[in-house]
Amino acid sequence: MNEIISKLEKLIEHNDGILRLKPAWVARDFLPPGRRLGLPEEMYDLGERGGICERWVGSTTPADNRIKVPNEGLCCLDLEDGQEITLKAAVEIAPALIMGADYAKAHTGLGRLPKIFDYAYRLPYHLHQMAKDARKVGRNSKEEAYYFPEEVPLGPEPETYFGVHPYISIEKRYELLLPPMQEWKDDSILLHSRAYRLKAGDGFHVPAGILHAPGSALTIELQEDSDVFAMMQAKVGGDIIIDKELLFKDVSEKERKKLAEKAILGMIDWELNGDPYFYENRHTPPILIDSDQQSGSEQSWIFYNTHKFSGKKLIIRPGGKHVSVEKGVYNILAWRGQGTYGNVEIEGLNFEKDELLICHQRAIYPIEVVNTGDRDLIIYKFFGPDINPDVPMLTKYPKSPNACNIL
């Protein structure tokens, strides 16, 4: 252990606090991949494991799939002599080096999971357990947020279903969701929800306990460090039947035996799901950060409205540069273009050069980011809980006492 810590210290010092990470490809077996992640065609299909549908970025969270693969979902970095270590292990053995001493005292890890998800069809209607329910199976809750990048096809089903019709919540008609889950034969559960058209350059914030069926747009996602869910829709993609075991994946055996499908109803945040102003209170378009505008570059919030994580999008024009100063540890994904981040080369879609971790002690001092290419350099920044106390919060749209009458 001391030898590994010593190597990690040398690596951080030698690279001036900027560490290159390897991508983590994650298979899913409930839907086919959208094939927009930039991989060679032959790499998407993995037989019994399904297909590569997600890339996890700067991840310290293991994937929780039916077929277990060692370290699936975990990002890695190279130490000297070709030795590899997961980022999860690095954070555990040297938390102060990576996260800063004060942050490491208050947080057990990086506490967030960025990812790209890429499915051929709309995902099944599902929820991610709130803390009270995730704890019952020894897991974390999963709040999340989405951003839909430009210049990528939205796919055949570019609408996301969110929540339930307000009357279901107001009148406590929760049992309406039971028959589709019990019969498990079709997609009729979507009749109780509303669909929202997706567009590139836009996003949503989705707390745990909210019902949703994400559309087919390739999506940059930022979430709590968890892989919990309950799939509630039996049929997707026209004729694909989801394994019903995914409905109970993160339901305790005790509750499953006692309540069966009714156990899911107790995991739903009915007030948030039935919000008549769901769109106004969850829609998160980019917010330009005035204080971060520099000649030849601009930076915007794209993940906000929560203190559990946050994220930014940095655009640097050809020949331009940006001096970056942040409040703590973060990681980046170079999405498009090429340049340098400090002294490190970055290039979008080059999986050996597109992902970095910026350790705390380097993040809080100026880093010059330069576009060395002939197109915009686009970079996504991902932060964990409490790094950005100044993250914007949506103004709560008022609830009208006559909401049911005006819909």
Side-chain angles (χ1 to χ4, degrees), residues 96-154:
L97 274 177
I98 293 173
M99 301 190 295
D102 291 342
Y103 191 82
K105 288 178 183 177
H107 300 80
T108 56
L110 295 173
R112 81 294 168 276
L113 171 58
K115 62 169 64 168
I116 310 169
F117 69 78
D118 173 38
Y119 292 86
Y121 305 106
R122 183 184 298 111
L123 283 164
Y125 194 58
H126 66 281
L127 63 79
H128 302 293
Q129 282 79 355
M130 294 178 282
K132 68 180 181 63
D133 298 306
R135 280 195 296 267
K136 296 175 184 176
V137 290
R139 302 188 184 280
N140 296 329
S141 59
K142 185 185 171 187
E143 184 169 319
E144 61 190 20
Y146 311 139
Y147 181 77
F148 314 116
E150 297 86 345
E151 300 181 9
V152 185
L154 294 175

Side-chain angles (χ1 to χ4, degrees), residues 162-399:
F162 283 120
V164 295
H165 296 299
Y167 83 93
I168 294 176
S169 180
I170 293 168
E171 298 178 11
K172 295 182 169 48
R173 299 285 305 278
Y174 311 149
E175 75 285 352
L176 288 173
L177 274 63
L178 275 177
M181 289 192 287
Q182 293 168 335
E183 296 166 5
W184 204 256
K185 64 181 183 180
D186 55 31
D187 60 0
S188 60
I189 197 165
L190 294 178
L191 294 172
H192 305 301
S193 184
R194 291 173 164 178
Y196 299 82
R197 176 75 179 187
L198 307 181
K199 70 173 185 176
D202 204 4
F204 288 91
H205 169 229
V206 188
I210 284 186
L211 301 164
H212 56 297
S216 58
L218 181 135
T219 302
I220 309 291
E221 178 179 342
L222 185 55
Q223 59 167 82
E224 292 183 272
D225 56 342
S226 177
D227 196 21
V228 295
F229 58 80
M231 295 294 190
M232 300 165 61
Q233 180 182 337
K235 190 175 183 180
V236 294
D239 59 0
I240 300 170
I241 299 297
I242 298 295
D243 186 344
K244 193 172 181 178
E245 284 302 306
L246 294 180
L247 175 67
F248 299 106
K249 184 179 87 72
D250 293 296
V251 177
S252 70
E253 282 298 317
K254 179 180 178 181
E255 288 193 335
R256 180 174 181 175
K257 289 178 180 178
K258 180 180 179 181
L259 300 172
E261 291 86 357
K262 288 184 179 180
I264 306 300
L265 300 184
M267 298 179 176
I268 297 170
D269 188 324
W270 290 104
E271 181 180 0
L272 289 185
N273 278 277
D275 182 0
Y277 300 104
F278 187 95
Y279 180 86
E280 292 82 355
N281 290 326
R282 298 292 153 209
H283 175 225
T284 53
I287 298 176
L288 202 63
I289 306 172
D290 291 335
S291 60
D292 276 353
Q293 306 320 304
Q294 301 174 26
S295 177
S297 69
E298 63 181 46
Q299 189 158 234
S300 303
W301 291 107
I302 56 171
F303 299 118
Y304 54 95
N305 200 44
T306 178
H307 290 292
K308 294 184 177 180
F309 48 74
S310 56
K312 300 176 180 180
K313 178 181 180 180
L314 173 62
I315 302 175
I316 305 176
R317 310 302 177 197
K321 64 181 181 180
H322 181 93
V323 178
S324 175
V325 180
E326 301 293 353
K327 296 180 174 65
V329 59
Y330 63 98
N331 64 289
I332 73 154
L333 176 67
W335 180 247
R336 294 291 186 269
Q338 62 187 48
T340 56
Y341 211 95
N343 295 321
V344 180
E345 289 186 10
I346 55 173
E347 183 178 3
L349 295 177
N350 181 338
F351 304 137
E352 296 181 354
K353 294 184 177 182
D354 65 352
E355 189 175 339
L356 302 176
L357 178 79
I358 317 301
C359 297
H360 170 86
Q361 199 58 32
R362 187 67 186 92
I364 61 176
Y365 292 103
I367 301 174
E368 186 175 75
V369 188
V370 179
N371 184 341
T372 59
D374 57 5
R375 61 175 296 178
D376 286 354
L377 173 60
I378 301 174
I379 295 168
Y380 296 112
K381 296 181 177 181
F382 306 104
F383 305 86
D386 307 317
I387 295 286
N388 290 307
D390 58 339
V391 65
M393 307 297 286
L394 290 172
T395 300
K396 180 72 173 176
Y397 201 86
K399 293 183 179 179

Side-chain angles (χ1 to χ4, degrees), residues 66-87:
R66 178 177 59 88
I67 298 176
K68 306 299 181 187
V69 175
N71 291 338
E72 185 176 18
L74 297 177
C75 287
C76 295
L77 54 95
D78 285 326
L79 299 176
E80 61 183 28
D81 303 324
Q83 185 176 8
E84 185 179 82
I85 185 174
T86 67
L87 179 59

